[in-house]
């Protein structure tokens, strides 16, 4: 909790921090308080997380599903199953809005809802079980990739990860073309100083992470730093600089020198 509070302070000090990043952190803190048995404080943090998530929901970046699920879990732990069911159902509805939802999250959501409905003895459990069976069937249809990745191990000693707060969800301020352009700009900056190269990106609904490799991670970071400072899409981005086992992180605060 101490580290969560420090992270929250850092994120709230930067006006450019996206709402969903603060909402996600508040949700994590609420979960921590739930495990500590401090339900009252958990609910207070979730009130804030949900309000921020609603703002980002309008912008196409929704953290509501996780916040609703956490509230459902807290209510369950308090023995308030009827209210917990409502929260799990809200969470499920939010996840269905996402273009590429996580099957694991939906399954967990439905399993919690079914358990609460069974404790209440409500007949709706049959419908929830049907939904769970449908989700499991859809998950089983997803092709599984079986590939030996040992030959793809890269031996570079350093890496820099650039995580921007715009992923695959519709309605984002920035889209795939914007992150692709950023990747090209970062690659050009790195290669122009022989500091490294951009190996690709990973996109999830909440964010996009650009991956760069080089022998000297700090030199690679210095090479791309002007781009990170000047491009608006990078405001609030999380930068992870890794050299061997040494790791440091920073958040791009805006168009100021880091």
């Amino acid at each position: 909790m101490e580290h969560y509070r420090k992270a929250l302070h850092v994120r709230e000090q930067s006006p450019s921090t996206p709402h969903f990043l603060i909402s996600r952190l508040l949700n994590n803190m609420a979960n921590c308080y739930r495990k500590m048995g401090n339900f009252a404080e958990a609910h207070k943090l979730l009130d804030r997380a949900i309000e921020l998530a609603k703002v980002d929901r309008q912008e196409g970046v929704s953290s509501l599903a996780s916040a609703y699920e956490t509230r459902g879990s807290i209510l369950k732990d308090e023995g308030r199953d009827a209210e917990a069911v409502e929260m799990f159902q809200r969470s499920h509805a939010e996840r269905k809005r996402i273009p590429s939802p996580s099957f694991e999250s939906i399954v967990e959501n439905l399993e919690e809802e079914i358990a609460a409905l069974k404790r209440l003895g409500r007949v709706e459990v049959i419908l929830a079980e049907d939904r769970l069976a449908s989700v499991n069937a859809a998950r089983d249809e997803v092709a599984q990739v079986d590939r030996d990745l040992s030959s793809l191990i890269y031996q570079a000693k350093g890496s820099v990860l650039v995580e921007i707060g715009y992923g695959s969800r519709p309605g984002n301020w920035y889209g795939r073309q914007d992150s692709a352009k950023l990747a090209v700009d970062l690659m050009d900056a790195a290669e122009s100083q022989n500091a490294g190269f951009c190996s690709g990106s990973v996109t999830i609904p909440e964010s996009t992470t650009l991956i760069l490799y080089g022998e000297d991670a700090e030199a690679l970071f210095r090479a791309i730093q002007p781009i990170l400072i000047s491009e608006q899409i990078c405001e609030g981005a999380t930068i992870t600089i890794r050299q061997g086992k040494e790791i440091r992180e920073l958040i791009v605060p805006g168009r100021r020198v880091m």
Side-chain angles (χ1 to χ4, degrees):
M1 184 59 71
E2 180 183 354
H3 284 86
Y4 278 145
R5 290 195 188 101
K6 290 179 180 178
L8 181 63
H9 176 74
V10 170
R11 289 185 176 179
E12 289 183 329
Q13 290 303 303
S14 174
S16 62
T17 301
H19 288 103
F20 83 90
L21 287 179
I22 298 177
S23 175
R24 184 188 301 170
L25 183 53
L26 290 169
N27 183 63
N28 290 341
M29 294 172 73
N31 254 320
C32 189
Y33 272 123
R34 175 177 73 88
K35 294 175 182 178
M36 295 163 63
N38 190 340
F39 301 133
E41 193 63 32
H43 280 300
K44 289 180 184 178
L45 290 172
L46 272 180
D47 286 339
R48 293 178 58 197
I50 288 173
E51 288 305 311
L52 288 172
K54 286 180 178 178
V55 173
D56 277 334
R57 182 176 185 265
Q58 296 170 1
E59 298 167 355
V61 183
S62 176
S63 302
L64 272 176
S66 295
Y68 284 146
E69 183 174 8
T70 298
R71 173 146 284 171
S73 297
I74 295 170
L75 292 168
K76 176 198 70 175
D77 290 352
E78 292 179 298
R80 299 158 64 181
D81 280 328
E83 296 168 89
V85 166
E86 181 184 352
M87 288 297 115
F88 290 135
Q89 290 175 342
R90 288 189 186 184
S91 178
H92 184 172
E94 281 298 316
R95 295 194 192 283
K96 287 173 63 178
R97 295 177 62 254
I98 301 172
S100 300
S102 164
F103 283 120
E104 288 73 19
S105 296
I106 293 178
V107 167
E108 181 180 353
N109 217 146
L110 286 169
E111 287 176 342
E112 291 279 18
E113 178 186 344
I114 289 169
L117 286 169
K118 285 182 176 178
R119 288 192 296 270
L120 293 167
R122 285 166 50 172
V123 296
E124 299 100 301
V125 69
I126 298 175
L127 297 176
E129 288 175 336
D130 287 343
R131 291 198 299 271
L132 178 59
S134 176
V135 171
N136 281 326
R139 180 177 60 178
D140 292 341
E141 290 177 0
V142 176
Q144 299 296 316
V145 178
D146 183 12
R147 183 181 178 189
D148 181 9
L149 300 179
S150 60
S151 63
L152 302 181
I153 297 176
Y154 181 70
Q155 299 300 320
K157 297 178 181 179
S159 64
V160 176
L161 307 183
V162 179
E163 181 184 358
I164 57 176
Y166 306 97
S168 59
R169 286 179 178 158
N172 284 340
W173 291 330
Y174 298 98
R176 182 174 298 178
Q177 290 183 339
D178 298 300
S179 59
K181 178 182 179 300
L182 176 62
V184 171
D185 291 343
L186 293 175
M187 179 174 64
D188 289 345
E191 292 184 349
S192 68
Q193 298 188 35
N194 294 319
F197 64 94
C198 181
S199 72
S201 64
V202 176
T203 299
I204 60 175
E206 296 85 2
S207 64
T208 297
T209 301
L210 306 177
I211 306 167
L212 297 97
Y213 289 110
E215 289 302 308
D216 185 332
E218 292 294 339
L220 177 55
F221 170 67
R222 289 194 296 271
I224 66 173
Q225 187 176 7
I227 304 296
L228 300 176
I229 293 174
S230 63
E231 292 295 331
Q232 191 171 0
I233 189 175
C234 295
E235 293 184 0
T238 299
I239 312 301
T240 303
I241 304 168
R242 182 192 301 268
Q243 187 70 36
K245 295 183 179 181
E246 298 295 323
I247 301 173
R248 75 180 181 100
E249 285 191 351
L250 56 88
I251 295 177
V252 180
R255 298 186 179 184
R256 300 192 296 269
V257 176
M258 291 181 285

